[in-house]
Amino acid sequence: MSSIASGTSSPIAPAPGRHGLAALTMGAIGVVYGDIGTSPLYTVKEIFAPATGVALNAHNLIGAVSVIFWALMLVVTLKYVVLILRADNHGEGGGLALTALAVSAIRSRPALRSGLLLLGVFGATLFYGDSVITPAISVLGAMEGLQIVAPGLKPYIVPISVAILLGVFSIQSLGTGVVGKFFGPIIVLWFLMLGAIGVGHIAQQPEILAALNPVHAWGFLSERGWHLFAAVGAIVLALTGAEALYADMGHFGRRPIQIAWASLVLPALALNYMGQGALLIADPSAIENPFYRLFPDAWLVPALVLATLAAIIASQAVISGAYSMTKQAIQLGFLPRMEIRYTSAREAGQIYIPAVTWALLAGVIAAVLFFGSSSALAGAYGIAVTLTMMITTVLTYFVVREGWRLPAPLAIGATLFFLAIDALLVAGCAVKFFDGGWFPMALGLLMFVVMSTWSRGRALLMKGIRREGVELQQFIDSLDSRSVHRVERTAVFPVADPATVPQALLHNLKHNQVLHEHNVILTVVFGEVPWVPTERRMEVVPLGHGFWRVTLHFGFMDTPDVPKALTLARVESQGLRIPVFETSYFLSRETVVPAPGGGMANWRERLFAAMSRNASGAVEFFRLPDNEVVELGTRVQL
């Protein structure tokens, strides 16, 4: 009943007032920046782990911190905060929103359009891998402070981490807005603490300020030789969360995210990384856990509590991003319908998807139990994120060149610059593939198989319906009003293919031998924009003999409330009435039957059939009234 089609953009919402902007900025800090904000818990320690081959001395410390600082400036600030946040699809961000924007820009080139669509879907599936790793490594990294506060608690780190994660996922039904308002002040305090403790150690070892000079970053990288990739694979831990801030843009908007980064997050992170470098210059033995060793003994417990809360917030960033990504995938036809709960009456982007919540929780718990420590998870962390970053760069090129019409030298030059950085990051993480990098890649590939199978299966299903169906207009023209009994009321037949007679209509005519006075052949089309304004919601085409073809247009972030859309539309001029209490909805529930020699491998056909059986019903998804729906089944071979 849904398909990808070009939509029409809605008017840009007015900018929030000063008070609204402050509230959104606070919410963005509480949700968006938790992931990247917890990177100081483990990044520096991993850079100087034995596997990287980086010697712990003042020269390398200044160089490593310099690389972190300039990576934050170039990748997060310049690429994401300045450039990619401008590539919003009418307020929405994330891999699929960017993909829709890119394919819209090259609408006249179908082969390239199909390739970019496939690439964008693959990037979206990698985000799910990151959504599993981030909560696990963040909470474990925070809980490992227990062994410094009380060494005897080390055996309890994993069980406590699991308990905390269970709590995090159990509160998701409260909604992103509630969670963000609660976490906002806490994460602000976290970043203030990061900066303040860093300043104290910088003051004791001011030579670390040399890290602000990019020459030291270049020197550190050029001196590594074949160990370069291992070092980069650890440094990339400081960048995780950049993709999540783009995916969460629909929750808070571009300006609050940019303001939060420039005014608080970036300065706090830079000061803390320099503070850890200064600490290690003075005391190399602190490398066992340089983050917690920043604090005096009396501050360890408060720091541990705050780090735990920050780790919970880091989990929230990718969880809410996964919700947005899943809804977009459903609307664009890459995942079956799922139950989506809207947790805010004012913000349509604030949603809760139970199936995603519990699937993520299962993956996160499995990661915690399997890897058991943040150091082990560091090997799994990064490869999915950096591949997603590279795909984002490629998609952004088509947006800025074909959509924004920037000059070719500028678009190509900027793309090659960022691709070079992305390639280095991907290569650095690739060397960790057998140390755990396979885990998020396996999750991403599994999701890609699911999404591509669903998309291909729907296309084959539509083909089967057309092959076995009856042409609609021919059917209408052949009706004999004297032999077919007509009953009052209006019948609405939601269909995926408006050119053929709905199976529910044929079954109703066969078994009940009646037709309604008014028959609506309804198609819902999801466009490549987030929102479609009400005045462009409906198209009505009279077909004669009491039949009308109605097309409802929604954006991929709209709530597809079909009865409301039909009620709001003024279509009486076309001779059609859709009274609320005199309308029945007739649904065709297709039972997919895998057949040999179909368009997919047999196992994929069986997977598609299973997903089709377990998809959320059209009644709930399209907000149809329960007491006005009649469902009639039909079997369709692929």
Side-chain angles (χ1 to χ4, degrees), residues 355-371:
V356 173
T357 302
W358 304 120
L360 280 180
L361 175 60
V364 170
I365 298 300
V368 170
L369 296 177
F370 182 79
F371 290 97

PDB file of all heavy atoms in Angstrom, residues 355-371:
ATOM      1  N   ALA A 355       9.540  -2.957  19.011  1.00  0.00           N
ATOM      2  CA  ALA A 355      10.312  -4.032  18.383  1.00  0.00           C
ATOM      3  C   ALA A 355      11.785  -3.658  18.265  1.00  0.00           C
ATOM      4  O   ALA A 355      12.673  -4.493  18.498  1.00  0.00           O
ATOM      5  CB  ALA A 355       9.736  -4.356  17.001  1.00  0.00           C
ATOM      6  N   VAL A 356      12.071  -2.397  17.911  1.00  0.00           N
ATOM      7  CA  VAL A 356      13.457  -1.945  17.797  1.00  0.00           C
ATOM      8  C   VAL A 356      14.117  -1.925  19.173  1.00  0.00           C
ATOM      9  O   VAL A 356      15.280  -2.320  19.337  1.00  0.00           O
ATOM     10  CB  VAL A 356      13.516  -0.551  17.144  1.00  0.00           C
ATOM     11  CG1 VAL A 356      14.937   0.007  17.168  1.00  0.00           C
ATOM     12  CG2 VAL A 356      13.005  -0.622  15.705  1.00  0.00           C
ATOM     13  N   THR A 357      13.384  -1.476  20.168  1.00  0.00           N
ATOM     14  CA  THR A 357      13.925  -1.388  21.527  1.00  0.00           C
ATOM     15  C   THR A 357      14.423  -2.744  22.010  1.00  0.00           C
ATOM     16  O   THR A 357      15.571  -2.881  22.474  1.00  0.00           O
ATOM     17  CB  THR A 357      12.850  -0.872  22.492  1.00  0.00           C
ATOM     18  OG1 THR A 357      12.390   0.401  22.048  1.00  0.00           O
ATOM     19  CG2 THR A 357      13.400  -0.746  23.904  1.00  0.00           C
ATOM     20  N   TRP A 358      13.595  -3.762  21.883  1.00  0.00           N
ATOM     21  CA  TRP A 358      13.957  -5.059  22.451  1.00  0.00           C
ATOM     22  C   TRP A 358      14.972  -5.785  21.574  1.00  0.00           C
ATOM     23  O   TRP A 358      15.796  -6.555  22.084  1.00  0.00           O
ATOM     24  CB  TRP A 358      12.701  -5.891  22.683  1.00  0.00           C
ATOM     25  CG  TRP A 358      11.728  -5.156  23.552  1.00  0.00           C
ATOM     26  CD1 TRP A 358      10.458  -4.785  23.261  1.00  0.00           C
ATOM     27  CD2 TRP A 358      11.994  -4.628  24.870  1.00  0.00           C
ATOM     28  NE1 TRP A 358       9.903  -4.075  24.301  1.00  0.00           N
ATOM     29  CE2 TRP A 358      10.821  -3.963  25.299  1.00  0.00           C
ATOM     30  CE3 TRP A 358      13.094  -4.651  25.723  1.00  0.00           C
ATOM     31  CZ2 TRP A 358      10.722  -3.336  26.529  1.00  0.00           C
ATOM     32  CZ3 TRP A 358      13.004  -4.019  26.961  1.00  0.00           C
ATOM     33  CH2 TRP A 358      11.825  -3.386  27.347  1.00  0.00           C
ATOM     34  N   ALA A 359      14.948  -5.547  20.269  1.00  0.00           N
ATOM     35  CA  ALA A 359      15.977  -6.137  19.405  1.00  0.00           C
ATOM     36  C   ALA A 359      17.344  -5.539  19.715  1.00  0.00           C
ATOM     37  O   ALA A 359      18.352  -6.256  19.808  1.00  0.00           O
ATOM     38  CB  ALA A 359      15.624  -5.914  17.934  1.00  0.00           C
ATOM     39  N   LEU A 360      17.394  -4.207  19.898  1.00  0.00           N
ATOM     40  CA  LEU A 360      18.654  -3.555  20.265  1.00  0.00           C
ATOM     41  C   LEU A 360      19.138  -4.043  21.626  1.00  0.00           C
ATOM     42  O   LEU A 360      20.326  -4.294  21.819  1.00  0.00           O
ATOM     43  CB  LEU A 360      18.483  -2.035  20.287  1.00  0.00           C
ATOM     44  CG  LEU A 360      18.513  -1.289  18.953  1.00  0.00           C
ATOM     45  CD1 LEU A 360      18.335   0.209  19.201  1.00  0.00           C
ATOM     46  CD2 LEU A 360      19.811  -1.544  18.210  1.00  0.00           C
ATOM     47  N   LEU A 361      18.217  -4.149  22.573  1.00  0.00           N
ATOM     48  CA  LEU A 361      18.602  -4.600  23.908  1.00  0.00           C
ATOM     49  C   LEU A 361      19.234  -5.985  23.854  1.00  0.00           C
ATOM     50  O   LEU A 361      20.263  -6.234  24.495  1.00  0.00           O
ATOM     51  CB  LEU A 361      17.387  -4.615  24.832  1.00  0.00           C
ATOM     52  CG  LEU A 361      17.636  -5.177  26.243  1.00  0.00           C
ATOM     53  CD1 LEU A 361      18.682  -4.361  26.979  1.00  0.00           C
ATOM     54  CD2 LEU A 361      16.323  -5.229  27.037  1.00  0.00           C
ATOM     55  N   ALA A 362      18.639  -6.885  23.076  1.00  0.00           N
ATOM     56  CA  ALA A 362      19.202  -8.234  22.957  1.00  0.00           C
ATOM     57  C   ALA A 362      20.614  -8.187  22.385  1.00  0.00           C
ATOM     58  O   ALA A 362      21.521  -8.876  22.875  1.00  0.00           O
ATOM     59  CB  ALA A 362      18.297  -9.097  22.072  1.00  0.00           C
ATOM     60  N   GLY A 363      20.825  -7.347  21.362  1.00  0.00           N
ATOM     61  CA  GLY A 363      22.155  -7.228  20.777  1.00  0.00           C
ATOM     62  C   GLY A 363      23.162  -6.617  21.726  1.00  0.00           C
ATOM     63  O   GLY A 363      24.319  -7.054  21.801  1.00  0.00           O
ATOM     64  N   VAL A 364      22.738  -5.597  22.479  1.00  0.00           N
ATOM     65  CA  VAL A 364      23.638  -4.921  23.417  1.00  0.00           C
ATOM     66  C   VAL A 364      24.053  -5.865  24.542  1.00  0.00           C
ATOM     67  O   VAL A 364      25.235  -5.931  24.908  1.00  0.00           O
ATOM     68  CB  VAL A 364      22.957  -3.652  23.982  1.00  0.00           C
ATOM     69  CG1 VAL A 364      23.773  -3.082  25.137  1.00  0.00           C
ATOM     70  CG2 VAL A 364      22.795  -2.602  22.889  1.00  0.00           C
ATOM     71  N   ILE A 365      23.100  -6.579  25.110  1.00  0.00           N
ATOM     72  CA  ILE A 365      23.416  -7.523  26.185  1.00  0.00           C
ATOM     73  C   ILE A 365      24.361  -8.607  25.673  1.00  0.00           C
ATOM     74  O   ILE A 365      25.322  -9.005  26.355  1.00  0.00           O
ATOM     75  CB  ILE A 365      22.132  -8.153  26.761  1.00  0.00           C
ATOM     76  CG1 ILE A 365      21.236  -7.067  27.381  1.00  0.00           C
ATOM     77  CG2 ILE A 365      22.483  -9.211  27.801  1.00  0.00           C
ATOM     78  CD1 ILE A 365      21.862  -6.288  28.502  1.00  0.00           C
ATOM     79  N   ALA A 366      24.119  -9.077  24.455  1.00  0.00           N
ATOM     80  CA  ALA A 366      25.009 -10.091  23.871  1.00  0.00           C
ATOM     81  C   ALA A 366      26.423  -9.551  23.718  1.00  0.00           C
ATOM     82  O   ALA A 366      27.410 -10.260  23.995  1.00  0.00           O
ATOM     83  CB  ALA A 366      24.461 -10.534  22.512  1.00  0.00           C
ATOM     84  N   ALA A 367      26.556  -8.289  23.303  1.00  0.00           N
ATOM     85  CA  ALA A 367      27.879  -7.676  23.142  1.00  0.00           C
ATOM     86  C   ALA A 367      28.597  -7.557  24.486  1.00  0.00           C
ATOM     87  O   ALA A 367      29.800  -7.839  24.592  1.00  0.00           O
ATOM     88  CB  ALA A 367      27.745  -6.303  22.490  1.00  0.00           C
ATOM     89  N   VAL A 368      27.871  -7.141  25.530  1.00  0.00           N
ATOM     90  CA  VAL A 368      28.475  -7.006  26.863  1.00  0.00           C
ATOM     91  C   VAL A 368      28.962  -8.352  27.368  1.00  0.00           C
ATOM     92  O   VAL A 368      30.083  -8.491  27.863  1.00  0.00           O
ATOM     93  CB  VAL A 368      27.467  -6.386  27.853  1.00  0.00           C
ATOM     94  CG1 VAL A 368      27.992  -6.473  29.282  1.00  0.00           C
ATOM     95  CG2 VAL A 368      27.183  -4.935  27.489  1.00  0.00           C
ATOM     96  N   LEU A 369      28.125  -9.370  27.240  1.00  0.00           N
ATOM     97  CA  LEU A 369      28.491 -10.690  27.756  1.00  0.00           C
ATOM     98  C   LEU A 369      29.603 -11.336  26.934  1.00  0.00           C
ATOM     99  O   LEU A 369      30.471 -12.027  27.478  1.00  0.00           O
ATOM    100  CB  LEU A 369      27.262 -11.598  27.774  1.00  0.00           C
ATOM    101  CG  LEU A 369      26.114 -11.162  28.709  1.00  0.00           C
ATOM    102  CD1 LEU A 369      24.931 -12.102  28.575  1.00  0.00           C
ATOM    103  CD2 LEU A 369      26.584 -11.094  30.154  1.00  0.00           C
ATOM    104  N   PHE A 370      29.597 -11.121  25.625  1.00  0.00           N
ATOM    105  CA  PHE A 370      30.580 -11.762  24.757  1.00  0.00           C
ATOM    106  C   PHE A 370      31.953 -11.118  24.888  1.00  0.00           C
ATOM    107  O   PHE A 370      32.977 -11.802  24.998  1.00  0.00           O
ATOM    108  CB  PHE A 370      30.115 -11.716  23.306  1.00  0.00           C
ATOM    109  CG  PHE A 370      31.051 -12.389  22.339  1.00  0.00           C
ATOM    110  CD1 PHE A 370      31.058 -13.767  22.213  1.00  0.00           C
ATOM    111  CD2 PHE A 370      31.932 -11.646  21.567  1.00  0.00           C
ATOM    112  CE1 PHE A 370      31.918 -14.402  21.328  1.00  0.00           C
ATOM    113  CE2 PHE A 370      32.802 -12.266  20.689  1.00  0.00           C
ATOM    114  CZ  PHE A 370      32.800 -13.652  20.559  1.00  0.00           C
ATOM    115  N   PHE A 371      32.015  -9.776  24.900  1.00  0.00           N
ATOM    116  CA  PHE A 371      33.302  -9.074  24.930  1.00  0.00           C
ATOM    117  C   PHE A 371      33.785  -8.827  26.354  1.00  0.00           C
ATOM    118  O   PHE A 371      34.967  -8.949  26.641  1.00  0.00           O
ATOM    119  CB  PHE A 371      33.215  -7.762  24.153  1.00  0.00           C
ATOM    120  CG  PHE A 371      33.092  -7.954  22.666  1.00  0.00           C
ATOM    121  CD1 PHE A 371      31.858  -7.930  22.039  1.00  0.00           C
ATOM    122  CD2 PHE A 371      34.216  -8.173  21.890  1.00  0.00           C
ATOM    123  CE1 PHE A 371      31.736  -8.112  20.674  1.00  0.00           C
ATOM    124  CE2 PHE A 371      34.116  -8.353  20.521  1.00  0.00           C
ATOM    125  CZ  PHE A 371      32.867  -8.328  19.908  1.00  0.00           C
TER     126      PHE A 371
END
